[in-house]
Amino acid sequence: MATALPAAPARARQKRPAQSLIPGSRSTAFWPYLIPGLALLTVIILVPLVWNIYLTFTSYRGIRPPEWIGLDNWVKLAGDQTFWTSFGNSVAMILAMVIVPTLLGLVLAAMLFDLIGKKFGGKLASFLRATYYLPQILPAVIAAIVIGWILRPQNGALNQILEGIGLGGLAHNWLGSPDTALPSIMVIMIWVQLGYPIVIFMAALQRVDPELYEAAELDGANWFQRFRAITVGIIRPEIFVVTLTCTIAALKVFGPIYALTGGGPGTSTIVPAYYAYSEFFQSQQVGYGATIATALTIVIAAVSIVFVIAQSRLERKDEER
Amino acid sequence: MSTTLTPQQTVLPPKNVTKPRGGMKKKTAGDWAILAVAILLGLLIAVPFFLILINSFKSPTDYNQSGPLSLPTELYVDGIVNFWERVNFPEKLWNSFFISSVVAVLAVGISMLNAFALGIGRVKGRTWIVLVVLLANMLPQEVLLYPLYFMFKSVGLYDNQWAVIIIFVVIQSAFGTYLLASVYGTFPKEILEAAAIDGANRWTILWRVVFPISRPTLSVLLIFFFIWTWNEFLIPLTFLVSNAAQTVPVSIAVLQGDRMMDVTTTSASALLGLLPTLIFFLIFQRTLTRGITAGAVK
């Protein structure tokens, strides 16, 4: 394709020509490589997705064929208090699974890499990193069993520790009372998530040129200034990946809620994915469950589109530099 | 893992790497304080694991008398043995291992093919293709249950491990495609040009050039896919109804509330559930970091 525009290479670059990175290979020649992946994607993901969108316009209880009811499910959804509560709780999950772990992860990764790794040895730093990562390798349901067991009201470990140090008055039915259930889950999710950004950011930090740091140090930049100007700038791609994948995970969090509280007490810890699940399989309101799940998918897709577009803009800007 | 995402490292001159001047610097009181905080945080994070460990070797009476925090008075392994035999643990272990390994290998393969077309082939509309592929990651999994149940039932794959394998190959390769496509987007052009001049066709370039050079990133993906698939719950629970086909997390979760599951057996089951991924992680821990540093082109 570029051969058609030999005289205007500059303009061609701006317009992103359909030329691959391999000279002489046109982009279109690469389509066959996408066939297996896209074919599987269509069968496993896109067909069920379309099927679900269809179900949102029906009343379907799983036995008799779906019955067309138009927009009734969507109207019901707009006025459904439980649904809005579940999205409110999603914000809490984003705080616990994205914002806190990413910020804390950045600081901890820099601390492990810059300070502990350099002054106390890389072995210690990677040991600590492995420790922080431990909760990530625990299957969610098993983590939930363990945590539920630590937090249980009678003879649970946490309440016993509190009693042991003379704070027995603080002992609580942590997951069973509406005021502490959501905060408890948030703490658990921070515990679970923290290791993921740390591992990724520490790996990314190995790219930072130490000379850059030393130069900044000579220029009198303090640690935080160096951190903000150099570190965050260089590992930005990883920050994007972590933030996006964690946001998706936070919006569709299901396992811990399923295993720890079942959305309760009341609706105090309900999240959209769990609400959809309970409509699908407990109330057998498949049409309405599909509506909740589709609404959730739309939200996640919108967030992802904004992210990916912002990311590719920034990448393109970098390329132009 | 995503370190290889970016090109900068590939152009990092090696002279910077050969200057590890750390270790010899003076340690201030502040450094020690930060170290103390880091260790304390590590202990705090590890507390639940200690609790699992000590309570797995306690008899129920011991637990009732002295609570969850004390060390066991004697080494009691009946909880572990009971659970092991009750769920036929070796069988579950093999199921999980088989499913996770096949998924990891196939998903890395699909990710590589996709990323080759998107990152190096620069297929038109690639941003949007990546977004569509990412749908597999975005969908709440409940959405898939009803349609896939009918689809797999009609082709006779229901209650078959291959159903679970196919589903997770798609889901995991979505993340892999997203990550690898941006890694390959910054693949050093000179290498591709040299290969093209040597007359290599696309397939040869993928197999003989791109694959070996990106192998560190691929092995990181392989590890992540393995652990993630191992830990999955909802889809194995739904699609593997017969006991003999179940995975480790499912077999543990469905036994909760069972009469034989007293407190210490629960703890023992959690210990057995996390040991395989823990061992796997410890073995490949170094690959995770090396994969990232070795992403540079020699």
Side-chain angles (χ1 to χ4, degrees):
Chain A
M1 245 156 130
T3 47
L5 294 163
R11 200 164 52 115
R13 200 185 308 137
Q14 269 174 3
K15 295 223 82 178
R16 274 199 299 148
Q19 180 71 32
S20 74
L21 291 181
I22 300 174
S25 276
R26 273 188 295 133
S27 289
T28 41
F30 285 84
W31 273 102
Y33 291 90
L34 283 173
I35 289 173
L38 292 187
L40 277 172
L41 185 81
T42 307
V43 174
I44 301 296
I45 304 293
L46 300 183
V47 169
L49 179 65
V50 172
W51 211 78
N52 260 271
I53 293 172
Y54 158 71
L55 283 181
T56 67
F57 303 111
T58 64
S59 168
Y60 180 38
R61 312 220 45 177
I63 306 146
R64 270 182 293 159
E67 188 190 321
W68 187 267
I69 54 166
L71 285 172
D72 285 8
N73 281 327
W74 290 96
V75 173
K76 182 179 163 196
L77 189 79
D80 184 350
Q81 195 53 49
T82 311
F83 174 72
W84 294 109
T85 307
S86 73
F87 260 106
N89 289 341
S90 284
V91 175
M93 288 299 136
I94 289 177
L95 184 66
M97 294 176 68
V98 186
I99 298 173
V100 174
T102 308
L103 293 179
L104 212 57
L106 262 176
V107 173
L108 285 169
M111 189 174 93
L112 283 181
F113 186 81
D114 275 346
L115 199 145
I116 294 175
K118 283 179 186 154
K119 295 201 175 175
F120 296 93
K123 277 241 167 68
L124 182 62
S126 46
F127 178 77
L128 284 171
R129 184 196 52 202
T131 314
Y132 297 160
Y133 193 75
L134 271 181
Q136 277 277 307
I137 59 170
L138 201 58
V141 281
I142 294 177
I145 291 164
V146 174
I147 297 289
W149 169 79
I150 288 173
L151 294 184
R152 71 157 90 192
Q154 301 92 23
N155 70 24
L158 180 60
N159 283 347
Q160 295 230 343
I161 292 174
L162 288 173
E163 266 160 44
I165 56 174
L167 292 172
L170 289 179
H172 206 84
N173 184 0
W174 297 100
L175 291 170
S177 28
D179 53 330
T180 51
L182 187 63
S184 302
I185 291 202
M186 287 170 72
V187 172
I188 296 164
M189 294 323 293
I190 294 173
W191 175 70
V192 168
Q193 284 295 107
L194 188 59
Y196 174 65
I198 290 180
V199 164
I200 292 182
F201 292 157
M202 275 185 77
L205 284 172
Q206 308 190 341
R207 255 193 347 252
V208 178
D209 182 348
E211 280 179 359
L212 216 56
Y213 249 71
E214 280 156 25
E217 211 172 346
L218 287 179
D219 286 345
N222 64 29
W223 181 82
F224 185 71
Q225 286 168 325
R226 278 177 287 159
F227 174 73
R228 239 189 38 195
I230 302 174
T231 313
V232 175
I234 290 180
I235 69 174
R236 196 181 56 206
E238 281 81 2
I239 298 178
F240 260 109
V241 171
V242 164
T243 318
L244 177 59
T245 49
C246 288
T247 306
I248 293 176
L251 284 169
K252 59 179 232 193
V253 63
F254 171 81
I257 304 288
Y258 169 88
L260 280 170
T261 63
T267 56
S268 57
T269 58
I270 200 159
V271 290
Y274 187 81
Y275 189 32
Y277 174 83
S278 71
E279 289 294 312
F280 268 126
F281 299 102
Q282 285 158 12
S283 330
Q284 297 283 318
Q285 297 284 358
V286 180
Y288 194 55
T291 313
I292 300 166
T294 306
L296 176 59
T297 310
I298 293 170
V299 171
I300 296 176
V303 171
S304 310
I305 288 172
V306 171
F307 252 92
V308 171
I309 288 178
Q311 188 184 4
S312 65
R313 282 239 173 100
L314 277 172
E315 269 172 20
R316 215 167 296 149
K317 231 187 249 165
D318 283 352
E319 266 172 40
E320 279 163 17
R321 253 193 311 194
Chain B
M1 75 211 219
S2 27
T3 27
T4 20
L5 250 185
T6 39
Q8 287 95 324
Q9 78 186 94
T10 54
V11 288
L12 198 83
K15 67 175 157 86
N16 295 324
V17 187
T18 57
K19 268 204 309 184
R21 58 174 66 172
M24 300 304 120
K25 286 185 182 170
K26 259 192 281 166
K27 296 161 192 152
T28 62
D31 296 340
W32 286 102
I34 290 178
L35 179 69
V37 170
I39 291 176
L40 208 67
L41 185 67
L43 284 175
L44 206 65
I45 287 174
V47 163
F49 294 89
F50 292 132
L51 288 172
I52 298 174
L53 190 65
I54 58 177
N55 288 297
S56 299
F57 295 101
K58 247 183 228 173
S59 68
T61 35
D62 191 358
Y63 181 90
N64 287 334
Q65 275 163 11
S66 51
L69 301 176
S70 63
L71 290 171
T73 46
E74 56 185 332
L75 210 57
Y76 171 90
V77 290
D78 285 13
I80 294 174
V81 172
N82 283 342
F83 177 76
W84 182 285
E85 286 169 355
R86 174 67 179 267
V87 301
N88 192 359
F89 197 67
E91 179 186 75
K92 306 298 173 291
L93 209 54
W94 166 252
N95 291 341
S96 275
F97 181 78
F98 173 72
I99 293 174
S100 308
S101 324
V102 176
V103 167
V105 172
L106 292 181
V108 167
I110 298 274
S111 308
M112 192 171 75
L113 292 176
N114 283 347
F116 184 58
L118 297 169
I120 290 176
R122 307 224 149 191
V123 163
K124 252 196 152 160
R126 58 185 182 277
T127 307
W128 292 101
I129 296 174
V130 167
L131 274 170
V132 171
V133 170
L134 268 181
L135 265 179
N137 239 316
M138 299 181 219
L139 278 187
Q141 289 184 355
E142 308 89 271
V143 163
L144 304 174
L145 298 180
Y146 267 93
L148 291 182
Y149 169 78
F150 288 115
M151 284 159 65
F152 282 124
K153 197 133 203 183
S154 69
V155 294
L157 275 180
Y158 182 65
D159 201 14
N160 184 319
Q161 294 180 345
W162 283 99
V164 175
I165 289 173
I166 294 170
I167 298 172
F168 283 119
V169 165
V170 177
I171 293 177
Q172 311 293 28
S173 66
F175 176 82
T177 302
Y178 169 51
L179 191 98
L180 268 186
S182 72
V183 173
Y184 285 177
T186 60
F187 203 89
K189 255 188 152 169
E190 312 79 59
I191 296 179
L192 297 172
E193 276 162 12
I197 289 165
D198 287 347
N201 62 20
R202 279 180 293 276
W203 176 252
T204 316
I205 290 179
L206 172 63
W207 193 235
R208 299 254 172 238
V209 178
V210 176
F211 170 68
I213 287 179
S214 60
R215 202 152 53 191
T217 320
L218 298 176
S219 53
V220 172
L221 279 181
L222 196 81
I223 294 166
F224 272 100
F225 291 170
F226 185 93
I227 292 180
W228 289 346
T229 309
W230 186 288
N231 291 349
E232 280 291 345
F233 176 66
L234 184 61
I235 284 177
L237 175 74
T238 319
F239 287 92
L240 300 174
V241 279
S242 58
N243 188 36
Q246 272 170 6
T247 62
V248 172
V250 174
S251 67
I252 291 173
V254 297
L255 267 188
Q256 302 309 309
D258 189 290
R259 248 179 300 124
M260 61 89 67
M261 297 297 279
D262 51 61
V263 199
T264 55
T265 312
T266 304
S267 182
S269 73
L271 181 68
L272 285 177
L274 75 91
L275 270 184
T277 36
L278 179 65
I279 293 169
F280 188 84
F281 172 70
L282 291 178
I283 294 173
F284 290 103
Q285 229 241 94
R286 297 189 53 208
T287 320
L288 276 183
T289 38
R290 218 172 334 137
I292 288 142
T293 41
V297 180
K298 281 146 229 150

